[in-house]
Amino acid sequence: MSARPPQRIKTMCGITGYVGTKSASEVVIHGLKTLEYRGYDSAGVAAFVNGRIGVVKAVGKVANVEKRIAELGTLNGATCGIGHTRWATHGAPSDKNSHPHGTDKVRIVHNGIIENYAPLREMLVSKGFTFESETDTEVAAKLIEYHYDNCKNHEDALISAMRDIIGSYAIAVMFSDCPETIFAIRKDNPLIIGVGKNENFVASDITAVLEYTNTYYQLGDFELAIVTRDSVKMMDMKKNAVEHPLLTATWSVEAASRGGYDHFMIKEINEEPEAVRKTLHPRIRNLLPNFEEENLSDERLKNAKSVTFVACGTAMHAGLVGKTAIEQLCRVPVKVEIASEFRYNNPILTEDDLVVVISQSGETADSLAALRLAKEKGAYTLGIVNVIGSTIAREADNVIYTWAGPEISVASTKAYTVQISLIYLLTIKMAYLKGKISESEAKEYTRILYEDMPEIIKATIAREDEIHEAAKSFCAYSNLFFIGRGIDYHLAMEGSLKLKEISYIHSEAYAAGELKHGTISLITPEMPVIALATQEDLYEKMISNIREVKARGARVMLIAREGAKDAANEAEKVIFLPRCDQFFNAIPLATVLQMLAYFIAKELGREIDQPRNLAKSVTVE
Ligand code: AGP
């Protein structure tokens, strides 16, 4: 038992399991590799071998545990197993902290947080249990064993454990006296059951098993599944059978693989034109936005007195684009809230408020908590989500899916571009319903968005060499500024986040007009500035801000509209956006900023798709 008081090891991870006729360790390892974007500081596999549960773990990437399994050979012949890849928020990665956890009797892998692990651990210690790790997961494993020792029934033991546990979890369990069977329980964290031919799977998301099957069930909260190679049983806590629709993932394995690109990130940027087209097309009828499929009534949009976007990170930046667009076209007040702040600010909301929760993964803990709070306060909640069937998608009053396809790279690119495209479409609809624009104006805006925009994004991507060239001259710095005004300031925030998360260069987005109120003291020849000036009415102002920083020795890269006056004389490097109605400039500008961050990080040899310390879906607070 660890001498130190337990430190709550919160992890955000990926789990997977297999039961069938193939090599369990091979299938589980394959699944973990596709989940590595969720977390990758340690990994482990448990499998039934010769009537007992064998376990192999390793610190570091999944490849390390794969290597150790091959060296040890102790899992050879296993056809039922579970696995886990970990992203720890606290506590160093180590063998003892990595999953699977438990004993020879019960082994589990877990994604989520056991909030009340400390009192549970004390209770278990008083019953004679000992602990070797500091994780909450080991507490869950021994809690299940404790209940099983008492009731001698697997389902009852798991149901009792669910009753005791406070927190969020997706857990896969193996009992040594129940071979070739995987049990699974979940609350708040995603867990799918993949259905194959004479084989079945469990996983955090369908990407982990796409190699073998694309049909799956989404297990519901407080439900239990019993999975063997030829059966899947799902039940609630009263042991009543539950039915879920058998879903089919439209994502091919190829779609989730790199498709010949150096990184998922650049592949996903290149998918933006198609992703925008795919997402908008079914929501346009007779050249006007149409959300009947989503049962989003015209009244809801027409009567909205205010809109609140709630999200995290890049998704929150999509909300900022929405704020500019909706306030400009619909003249409706829009708030943009950081979800982790919103949920503790006791927000003022009524049933007249439209709260839009934006999330690529649909599993971000802060955004989910914000959604639940908004619903408690009576607001109508609309999700804009990329992952079908994810928790935010299922809990919002309504959801509009962004059909961007799997986004594997931790840095969000195509999901963001599709989010803002969809928000523009909603803006056009709302402005038309509120009588702020005529039908012909609404049709023209819609045509530009649907017909021109994918081509404009393509033309932007085609400027790859020019963007890469510009990136080379700015990759040697440790700090830099992004400046802009209006929507360009909002895009500066997204450009800054992209650069920081994948290149590790510190950058700051600043309202250009605000620099002179203090921050300009930081401008030196060692502090380059990337100026965004895509708005015609603010261009001259931006040129004066560029001159301000140049006068203090800064090197400047300017991103402007094609044909912007004297641009080439104003900055050392200029990247022009393809001609576009400036109302939609945020879309090609986003692509430029994504590519700029990508090429800078590539020049620096960074681990672009899996940057240090980051995970794709942050399901911890
Ligand atoms: C985006 O590049 C980041 N990886 C991160 O900010 C992300 O946007 C944020 O965690 C929200 O994720 P979500 O869209 O899945 O909710």
Side-chain angles (χ1 to χ4, degrees), residues 25 56 267 292 307 505 515:
S25 54
V56 179
K267 168 177 179 282
E292 280 166 15
V307 178
I505 292 177
L515 268 178

Side-chain angles (χ1 to χ4, degrees), residues 19 180-184 191-202 213 215-219 223-235 241-246:
V19 54
E180 304 305 298
T181 305
I182 297 175
F183 295 81
L191 193 137
I192 63 104
I193 294 145
V195 178
K197 285 192 181 47
N198 201 23
E199 60 184 13
N200 290 308
F201 310 78
V202 296
T213 181
T215 52
Y216 65 104
Y217 296 111
Q218 282 272 9
L219 192 63
E223 289 179 359
L224 155 66
I226 306 166
V227 182
T228 65
R229 72 175 61 171
D230 46 23
S231 76
V232 174
K233 271 192 271 173
M234 294 176 281
M235 63 182 75
V242 293
E243 296 290 319
H244 286 296
L246 186 61

Side-chain angles (χ1 to χ4, degrees), residues 312-315 358-362 364 367 410-412 497-498 501 618:
C312 301
T314 289
I358 309 170
S359 176
Q360 186 287 129
S361 64
T364 300
S367 306
V410 165
S412 186
L497 173 60
K498 282 281 107 40
E501 67 177 324
V618 186

Side-chain angles (χ1 to χ4, degrees), residues 342-379:
F342 176 83
R343 54 187 298 206
Y344 297 110
N345 288 347
N346 190 16
I348 300 160
L349 289 172
T350 68
E351 59 281 355
D352 292 333
D353 288 308
L354 172 59
V355 173
V356 183
V357 180
I358 309 170
S359 176
Q360 186 287 129
S361 64
E363 300 299 345
T364 300
D366 288 321
S367 306
L368 178 59
L371 166 69
R372 289 172 173 165
L373 177 63
K375 287 181 75 171
E376 263 168 46
K377 289 186 174 279

